[in-house]
Amino acid sequence: MDLSKADMNILAIDTSSKYFYLAIAEDDKIKVSIRRPSGRELSRMIIPLIEKALKKANLSLGGIDYFACGLGPGSFTGLRVGLAVIKGFAFSLNKPVLGIISLDCLAGSQSDFSGYVCPVVDARRSLVYSAIYRAKNGALKRKSRYLLVSPNELLAKFNNQDEVVFLGDGLSLYRDDIKKKLGPRAHFADDNFWYPDPNNLLRLAREKIKSKETADLDKLVPFYMYPKECQINKSL
């Protein structure tokens, strides 16, 4: 891919949560941004929404230079559907693809906070997906591995001096537990920031492009954290 070309078009999606996010950008300018509740309708709606977004951006699919996709953790079904579509586009057009960890995308909205940033995403079974980031001077650095833990295990990782901002849909379940444990040191992002944001998805995609971190299409898979046997829907 020639990074010196005048315009660089990126199509990015995230299907890790109950919302479908799509954004198309030309260089640093977002041309189209879509957020839709998805759930069981995702496989039916994803292609028409991408076609609609491309039309609005006045682009053909072949005009996209890079495809980016949120890898999760999150909805097993949503991640499989989203990544299959993006890999299909990238393969058929021989275009590079970028995989973005959705927790990194989620945390990015709080990079201006002075302290720690902690996404809390409901993983069911009384567990959360999380990671701990340090925010400083508008930049984030991940300080922990990616976590699948109980809320108590997560909160035990913060000492008595840590100022922490929490965000994610897990707050609808565990906000009171966090308040009880951390008191005034706990801050909570507005629920507008509970899901991966297209701006951060595109920012992370650009960073990967700049550092030439495109993914191997054959090896790119959703970022599952549960053991393999737990990913099977027993009702199927």
Side-chain angles (χ1 to χ4, degrees):
M1 182 61 58
D2 181 8
L3 296 182
S4 65
K5 65 174 286 186
D7 302 318
M8 182 173 64
N9 297 311
I10 305 170
L11 187 154
I13 68 169
D14 188 280
T15 58
S16 64
S17 73
K18 66 179 182 180
Y19 292 103
F20 169 65
Y21 285 94
L22 180 152
I24 297 174
E26 178 184 306
D27 296 324
D28 292 336
K29 178 182 178 182
I30 296 181
K31 303 183 75 172
V32 180
S33 181
I34 292 175
R35 165 178 150 160
R36 293 284 188 280
S38 56
R40 294 173 183 241
E41 298 296 311
L42 179 62
S43 59
R44 180 187 63 81
M45 66 190 278
I46 187 169
I47 297 296
L49 281 175
I50 290 173
E51 291 175 341
K52 180 180 178 181
L54 287 166
K55 184 176 181 180
K56 188 174 181 180
N58 197 28
L59 285 170
S60 67
L61 192 62
I64 298 299
D65 300 300
Y66 290 89
F67 293 95
C69 186
L71 299 180
S75 164
F76 298 147
T77 301
L79 292 170
R80 288 196 295 268
V81 170
L83 189 55
V85 168
I86 289 299
K87 289 179 71 170
F89 289 157
F91 177 78
S92 63
L93 296 167
N94 194 28
K95 297 291 179 71
V97 64
L98 310 155
I100 310 295
I101 300 299
S102 300
L103 288 170
D104 295 343
C105 181
L106 187 59
S109 68
Q110 304 302 308
S111 59
D112 290 334
F113 181 78
S114 180
Y116 288 92
V117 177
C118 186
V120 181
V121 177
D122 180 22
R124 303 190 178 183
R125 308 183 188 198
S126 299
L127 299 173
V128 296
Y129 300 119
S130 188
I132 298 169
Y133 303 78
R134 179 70 178 180
K136 187 175 181 181
N137 299 325
L140 282 181
K141 183 175 182 180
R142 183 163 56 88
K143 307 298 287 186
S144 76
R145 61 186 177 87
Y146 298 111
L147 303 167
L148 175 62
V149 293
S150 71
N152 284 338
E153 287 177 275
L154 176 62
L155 295 175
K157 296 181 180 295
F158 296 102
N159 65 38
N160 292 332
Q161 287 76 45
D162 296 334
E163 295 282 328
V164 190
V165 60
F166 295 89
L167 69 162
D169 64 1
L171 295 185
S172 63
L173 299 171
Y174 303 115
R175 183 192 294 258
D176 289 344
D177 294 332
I178 295 169
K179 284 182 178 178
K180 184 177 180 180
K181 178 70 175 180
L182 297 187
R185 294 180 292 113
H187 307 266
F188 300 96
D190 186 83
D191 58 9
N192 290 331
F193 300 104
W194 283 11
Y195 303 97
D197 178 75
N199 289 284
N200 293 317
L201 191 63
L202 289 165
R203 177 183 57 79
L204 291 169
R206 290 189 201 98
E207 289 177 2
K208 285 183 175 287
I209 292 169
K210 186 176 181 180
S211 58
K212 299 182 180 180
E213 294 181 56
T214 56
D216 183 330
L217 197 61
D218 292 333
K219 296 179 180 179
L220 189 64
V221 295
F223 183 52
Y224 296 136
M225 298 187 70
Y226 272 106
K228 187 175 181 179
E229 60 270 18
C230 296
Q231 298 166 20
I232 300 172
N233 187 336
K234 301 296 186 182
S235 66
L236 295 181

